[in-house]
Amino acid sequence: MTAWLGFLAVFLCSWSLRDLVAEACTCVPIHPQDAFCNSDIVIRAKVVGKKLMKDGPFGTMRYTVKQMKMYRGFQIMPHVQYIYTEASESLCGVKLEVNKYQYLITGRVYEGKVYTGLCNWYEKWDRLTLSQRKGLNHRYHLGCGCKIRPCYYLPCFTTSKNECIWTDMLSNFGHSGHQAKHYACIQRVEGYCSWYRGWAPPDKTIINATDP
C-alpha cells in the first residue's frame, strides 16, 4: 500500500509538472519589423546538424547552421555557426529540420552564443512574402526608430509622431496579418513614422501617411 501511494504521488507530481510546463510558453504578438529591430542577430541559414546538450533540466538543443546571409548583427558576430534553443517546445524551444529548408532566424546573443525561441521570429524562408524579404534587406532598418503600437480594440490613436498603429491584432495574431506580411513602419520627414508598402524607395516628402 505504501509503495502504491508513493507511486501515485510521483505520478501526480510529474503530471502537474508537465501540465505546468506545457502552459509555460506564452508569447506576445510582435510585428516582424520589431522582431528584427529587437534582435541581436538576424540571418538566413540552413540547418545542417543538431545535438542535444545536457544543460538545464530539459536540455538545450544546439543546431549547426550554414549561414547564407546576415541581415543584422555584423558587429556582434559576423558569422554564426550554432543556434541554441530550449530542447522542449513547452519552454519556447524551436524545432528546426536538418538538411531540408532554409530559415530566417532571429535571436539574442548571450555569453557568445546565439539563442532563439518561439517568441523570436523564425520562419521557413520560402514562406516569407516579398515585402518581408525587402524589409530584411533595407526597410526594417529604416524603421528601428519607430514604434509599432498594437491595436486590440477600436478606436486606436497614435500618441506620438514616431508611432504606427498595427491593426492586424483586430483579426489576426503574430506574423500572419496583412500589415505584418506587407508593410514596414518607416521614418519620414521631421521624425514622423508611417506605414510603407511599394516597389520604389520610400517617398521622403510624405508625412504621416495613413496607409493602411
Side-chain angles (χ1 to χ4, degrees):
M1 183 69 176
T2 304
W4 165 251
L5 289 175
F7 169 79
L8 181 61
V10 171
F11 174 79
L12 290 175
C13 287
S14 63
W15 181 85
S16 298
L17 178 61
R18 287 196 305 269
D19 187 57
L20 178 63
V21 170
E23 298 179 357
C25 185
T26 302
C27 304
V28 175
I30 185 171
H31 190 279
Q33 177 175 311
D34 275 348
F36 173 91
C37 295
N38 295 335
S39 296
D40 294 327
I41 298 291
V42 180
I43 61 171
R44 175 183 179 182
K46 184 174 183 179
V47 178
V48 295
K50 66 179 182 179
K51 181 179 180 180
L52 180 62
M53 313 296 288
K54 301 299 182 180
D55 299 332
F58 296 96
T60 300
M61 187 63 71
R62 186 187 74 183
Y63 289 104
T64 304
V65 299
K66 179 181 179 182
Q67 179 177 306
M68 317 300 289
K69 186 171 182 178
M70 175 169 281
Y71 301 94
R72 188 173 179 85
F74 304 98
Q75 301 86 353
I76 302 174
M77 187 179 294
H79 183 79
V80 177
Q81 184 179 6
Y82 300 115
I83 298 289
Y84 294 83
T85 189
E86 293 289 342
S88 171
E89 287 183 278
S90 60
L91 294 180
C92 297
V94 302
K95 301 296 183 184
L96 305 176
E97 297 190 58
V98 178
N99 291 322
K100 195 166 184 180
Y101 303 106
Q102 290 186 26
Y103 290 93
L104 168 73
I105 302 172
T106 68
R108 304 302 299 267
V109 176
Y110 178 71
E111 294 185 348
K113 297 178 180 178
V114 181
Y115 289 87
T116 193
L118 292 176
C119 295
N120 298 95
W121 185 25
Y122 77 100
E123 185 60 89
K124 294 175 183 176
W125 182 258
D126 59 7
R127 290 186 179 178
L128 297 180
T129 65
L130 182 59
S131 294
Q132 288 173 330
R133 297 182 190 188
K134 287 180 177 290
L136 292 167
N137 278 304
H138 181 61
R139 292 173 186 163
Y140 292 159
H141 284 282
L142 298 176
C144 284
C146 299
K147 181 178 180 180
I148 297 176
R149 178 183 291 275
C151 175
Y152 294 93
Y153 307 99
L154 292 175
C156 295
F157 304 98
T158 58
T159 58
S160 65
K161 65 181 183 180
N162 71 329
E163 288 184 349
C164 292
I165 299 298
W166 184 19
T167 56
D168 283 343
M169 312 309 299
L170 298 175
S171 57
N172 296 283
F173 294 90
H175 310 137
S176 59
H178 188 73
Q179 282 173 296
K181 289 182 176 180
H182 302 291
Y183 285 85
C185 175
I186 65 173
Q187 201 162 38
R188 311 281 187 157
V189 186
E190 299 178 1
Y192 282 91
C193 293
S194 61
W195 292 111
Y196 170 76
R197 179 187 184 184
W199 310 115
D203 184 353
K204 299 295 185 179
T205 64
I206 298 177
I207 299 179
N208 204 24
T210 57
D211 187 20

